Amino acid sequence: TDAVVDPHPAATTALGGGFAPRSRLVVPVCPQGDRTYLLGLHRCRIERDWKEEDLELVQAIAERLAQIMTMLAIQTALAESEERFRATFEQAAVGICHIDHRGWFLKVNHKLCDILGYTEEELLAYSGLDLTHPSDRNALQNYFAQVKAGKGESSCLELRNIDKQGLTIWCNLTMAARKDAEGRFKYFIAVVEDISARKALQERDLRHRDALARASRISTIGEMSSAIAHEITQPLMAISTYVGGALQRLDNQSAKPDAREIELLRGVLLEISRLADRAGHIIDRIRNFSSQRSPKPQVIDLRKISCEAIGMVESEFKARRTEIDVDCPADLPPAIGDPIELEQVFVNLLLNGLEAMKETPVARRQLSVEITSVDANQIQVSVADRGVGFTAGEMMRVFDPFFTTKVGGTGLGLPVCRSILESYGGRIWAEPRPGGGAVFAFTLPGQAEDHIR
Ligand code: ADP
């Protein structure tokens, strides 16, 4: 470059180190990524006639200087970036580690050591699989394979780790595969978040929800107690009558009973056994319905469940001279849910419909249950009555906990139905029925949706 026309004489004076140079030679020094500096020679005592070689020499020195300054700047930037990376890695609020293709830890940060309770040296002697709960190892191996194949980059995995004390720690794991310039796998980068507190809250919520659902089932049984008692008393009374009749016949026999008599008594005994089974079945159904158990999502047939529910409430409906009709296609696809919980949803809706039709003329006391498959992934159920219906304001509130218009009502039936259905990815709503009454409808994902809470 050419010699610079001195743009800042005041600045270049400083180049004289406090003296007053009488002649100067100044060239720019331009390190990359930095501002421009000036390098100058000066002569104070006399003016110097600078030669071309002087200029070339100073320019060569300026160029070398610029190279050195550029390298220094790069080194400083690298050191800063390395320091920033190290600080991010070490001080991150989540566990971070590098894992090799077999699952062994290559590098771990402090937080991961904290989460798992091991020192860095100890962790480096383990593989991620060693510290994973046996039931989650398959899922972790699948996740490794997916990420390595470039498929699981945007997914994460919730799994249980076992810490040094042997305690279970719920973690959320997010992994990415580090690859070289040719796209060959180098190692996994994994972010591990301790979600034990969230899991404990979720589990507590679930326990509360299950307890509430059970309490609501028991209260339903309580509401139906007189109809249930009637239903059980019927076969018991019949048994008693049959036994009385049979004993009388035996007492009246003077000689050994003949073959005809024995055949008749056999028929009576068979009938008694059938009636006893019926009473037993009613009791089993109630015991099942109110049992303390954790809900188990499984493949269910909603048609079968609706029949069970109708069986539960049948006596109540008979007592109130109310008809139920069910419309369900023969090829209804299966859904996912817990059978007892879904039976509870049906029972709640059926009893609510029945209750709403208390004042309806007997000829119109008809509850229509319709089960349809909306598409392969969704089944819809509607329960329509000809009861009192609701005002627009009531319709907005029927799913609010403790909202009730019934004397002695708890206002928990519908909120419990909603939480059951939502836990399986379904939803429930209410609407007025044209011609009078209410429709309560819900959807539930079909088996294809694979929604497991
Ligand atoms: P509860 O039966 O204890 O009142 P629910 O949560 O089952 O509790 O119902 C809440 C309220 O929703 C009922 O009190 C009633 O006002 C209204 N409701 C429920 N089902 C119907 C229905 N089929 N027709 C009209 N109103 C209904």
Side-chain angles (χ1 to χ4, degrees), residues 352-353 356 385 389-390 398 403-406 409-415 438 440:
N352 276 350
D385 61 59
F390 27 55
V398 287
F403 172 80
T404 182
T405 53
K406 298 177 196 165
T410 59
L412 288 176
L414 290 174
F440 281 80

Side-chain angles (χ1 to χ4, degrees), residues 7 35 66 102 118 166 203 231 240 254 351-352 406 431 453:
R35 63 201 163 100
R102 290 161 313 164
Y118 288 96
E203 268 161 32
E231 204 182 352
S240 164
S254 44
L351 288 179
N352 276 350
K406 298 177 196 165
E431 55 198 25
R453 69 174 163 153

Side-chain angles (χ1 to χ4, degrees), residues 223 348-349 352-356 367 383 385 387-390 394 397-400 402-406 408-417 437-440:
E223 278 168 38
N348 271 338
L349 298 184
N352 276 350
L354 177 72
E355 179 72 22
L367 197 70
V383 177
D385 61 59
V388 285
F390 27 55
E394 282 169 351
R397 300 187 55 202
V398 287
F399 294 102
D400 288 353
F402 309 115
F403 172 80
T404 182
T405 53
K406 298 177 196 165
T410 59
L412 288 176
L414 290 174
V416 165
C417 290
V439 183
F440 281 80

